[in-house]
Every structure is written in C-alpha cells, then in structure tokens.
Amino acid sequence: MAGGLEPHLEALRRELRGPAVLSVLVALIAVVITFLIWRFLQGRKSSRKAVLLLGLCDAGKTLLFARLLSGRYRDTQTSITDSSAVYRVSQDKSTNVTLIDLPGHESLRLQFLERFKAAARAIVFVVDSVAFQREVKDVAEFLYQVLVDSTVLRNAPALLIACNKQDVTMAKSAKLIQQQLEKELNTLRVTRSAAPTSLDGSATGGPAQLGKKGKDFEFSQLPMKVEFVECSARGCKGEEGEADLEALEKWLVKVA
C-alpha cells in the first residue's frame, strides 16, 4: 500500500517545488505586504485628527470657528495665536476632530502652519468672497505655499476652499473663485519655475512644481481631494441670524 502511494507522493513533492507554486507564494507575499502598507498608512491617517482653518486676515476664520463650535455669533478680532477645540461631527458624539484656527497675518501664518501641518487630517482654506477680486494674488500666494509644502503633499489632507461671506450681495461665487485661483496658481507656477538658481544649482524660489507639467493648473491635478463650498459665518440676518454653514458641516462629517 505504502509502495503504491510513493510515486504519487513524489509527484506531489515535485509539484510543490514547481514554478506555479512559487508564483502563488510570490503573489501571496505581495498581497500581505500591500495590506501591511495600507494598514500603516491608515494608522498614520487616523492619528491625524486636526482640521486646520487657514486664510488671510479678515477672511472670517475665527467667526466661522466660533459658529461651528457654539452656533452663536461673537465679535472677533485679528488673531495673533492659534485657537483649538474638539468639534463633534455626529449627534451621537462618537466622532470628533480638533478644529485649529490659525492666524492669517502674513508674518505669522507660515510659522503656525509649520507647527500644525503634520497633524492635519484636513484643511479648510477660508476665502473672503467679497474682497476676493482685490486679494486674489495674496490668496493664491498663500495657497501656493500650502500646496507645495512637502509635508502637505506627502500626507495629502482633504482640502476645502470655503468661500465665506456669501450673505453679502457683492460676494463672488465659488465657481468664479475656483477659476481665478487656478489661473493665478498657474501663473505662480510658471514664475517660480523660471526663478534664478543659486551657485549650488538649487532654485532660489523654492519648490515650483504644482500640478501636471505641460498643462495649465487645475485643482483636480493635486494629490489631495479639493472641494469648494459657499458659506456665511455671519449669516444673512447678521448677529441675530443663523450662519449658513451646512455645506461645510457636511464636508466635515465626510473627512472626520
């Protein structure tokens, strides 16, 4: 009986040493490695719980911050430091993020971005929709600095452009703001790529590559998902009315 099974056992041994089995083992190892990398990246993302509020001075970040947390209007002034608080994104209070309002003053904003960027799960870039036409170059310059930051590019946090102050008649639409920002960011990219080089051959203008080379810049070319919403932290009835932040609140639920 044993002698009759021996040829079959030997054939099975040869089969297990064959190229087909080796291919299966290689594929299995690749799947395991991919899964471990995915778990590592997910772990890193889950450890990032901050939602940064960025933007120029007077864009309405601090009032928006207060409205999200309390729903109430309050008088604000230009921030010179950060403010942070836990924001519950669901009724059962099981999901939350840390909202961090960063100063928008030119001398402070990059300093505070440097401090908190590694913890960013998402970024809300607040734009003054009323003053946008005259501030577009400054808005684009700050946004460019955010988008080419190596940590931001690596972590690719979700990005929302919150077009604030939509309660004002002269406010620009989110669509127009998107078009103008893409145009200005494309111009900045061209300007930075043409920056003179230093003696060691490095570009003095810093990182210049944004979007796809050879194509006009669009937000869809970025590694992170970018969305635009219209909102009003003040509300159409001013201090007595409710803020119009529904689109922003829905986005926070998605990214939490």
Side-chain angles (χ1 to χ4, degrees), residues 115-169:
R115 184 182 303 178
F116 293 104
K117 63 186 181 181
R121 185 183 191 85
I123 294 173
V124 178
F125 193 96
V126 185
V127 174
D128 183 338
S129 303
V130 180
F132 177 74
Q133 207 64 53
R134 69 172 182 270
E135 293 181 345
V136 59
K137 292 186 183 300
D138 292 332
V139 172
E141 174 70 31
F142 183 22
L143 185 55
Y144 180 91
Q145 291 172 319
V146 174
L147 295 176
V148 298
D149 182 274
S150 58
T151 301
V152 174
L153 285 172
R154 182 175 64 252
N155 292 342
L159 173 63
L160 183 75
I161 311 296
C163 305
N164 193 25
K165 304 187 182 181
Q166 289 292 319
D167 55 294
V168 182
T169 306

Side-chain angles (χ1 to χ4, degrees), residues 154-203:
R154 182 175 64 252
N155 292 342
L159 173 63
L160 183 75
I161 311 296
C163 305
N164 193 25
K165 304 187 182 181
Q166 289 292 319
D167 55 294
V168 182
T169 306
M170 299 300 291
K172 300 297 183 289
S173 69
K175 184 175 181 180
L176 184 144
I177 289 172
Q178 178 176 350
Q179 292 171 344
Q180 289 295 314
L181 280 177
E182 286 179 337
K183 182 179 178 181
E184 288 295 330
L185 287 168
N186 190 63
T187 300
L188 276 171
R189 179 178 65 172
V190 172
T191 304
R192 297 298 175 88
S193 64
T197 56
S198 60
L199 291 177
D200 63 1
S202 61

Side-chain angles (χ1 to χ4, degrees), residues 16-200:
L16 290 173
R17 292 195 296 266
V21 174
L22 182 61
S23 299
V24 172
L25 288 174
V26 170
L28 183 60
I29 292 170
V31 169
V32 171
I33 291 173
T34 302
F35 175 74
L36 291 174
I37 292 173
W38 178 80
R39 284 294 300 271
F40 173 73
L41 293 176
Q42 287 297 109
R44 286 185 58 192
K45 182 179 179 181
S46 63
S47 68
R48 300 196 307 269
K49 299 290 289 182
V51 175
L52 308 184
L53 302 182
L54 308 179
L56 303 187
C57 286
D58 300 321
K61 300 185 304 300
T62 303
L63 179 56
L64 188 150
F65 175 78
R67 286 285 207 177
L68 284 171
L69 294 172
S70 69
R72 294 189 295 271
Y73 177 89
R74 81 174 193 198
D75 290 323
T76 62
Q77 57 187 6
T78 301
S79 303
I80 59 172
T81 187
D82 61 282
S83 299
S84 63
V86 174
Y87 173 72
R88 309 289 182 182
V89 300
S90 60
Q91 293 296 325
D92 61 8
K93 298 184 179 181
S94 62
T95 307
N96 62 74
V97 295
T98 301
L99 290 179
I100 306 179
D101 175 28
L102 303 186
H105 194 279
E106 186 177 3
S107 64
L108 297 172
R109 58 197 184 206
L110 292 182
Q111 170 190 334
F112 279 88
L113 175 63
E114 183 68 26
R115 184 182 303 178
F116 293 104
K117 63 186 181 181
R121 185 183 191 85
I123 294 173
V124 178
F125 193 96
V126 185
V127 174
D128 183 338
S129 303
V130 180
F132 177 74
Q133 207 64 53
R134 69 172 182 270
E135 293 181 345
V136 59
K137 292 186 183 300
D138 292 332
V139 172
E141 174 70 31
F142 183 22
L143 185 55
Y144 180 91
Q145 291 172 319
V146 174
L147 295 176
V148 298
D149 182 274
S150 58
T151 301
V152 174
L153 285 172
R154 182 175 64 252
N155 292 342
L159 173 63
L160 183 75
I161 311 296
C163 305
N164 193 25
K165 304 187 182 181
Q166 289 292 319
D167 55 294
V168 182
T169 306
M170 299 300 291
K172 300 297 183 289
S173 69
K175 184 175 181 180
L176 184 144
I177 289 172
Q178 178 176 350
Q179 292 171 344
Q180 289 295 314
L181 280 177
E182 286 179 337
K183 182 179 178 181
E184 288 295 330
L185 287 168
N186 190 63
T187 300
L188 276 171
R189 179 178 65 172
V190 172
T191 304
R192 297 298 175 88
S193 64
T197 56
S198 60
L199 291 177
D200 63 1

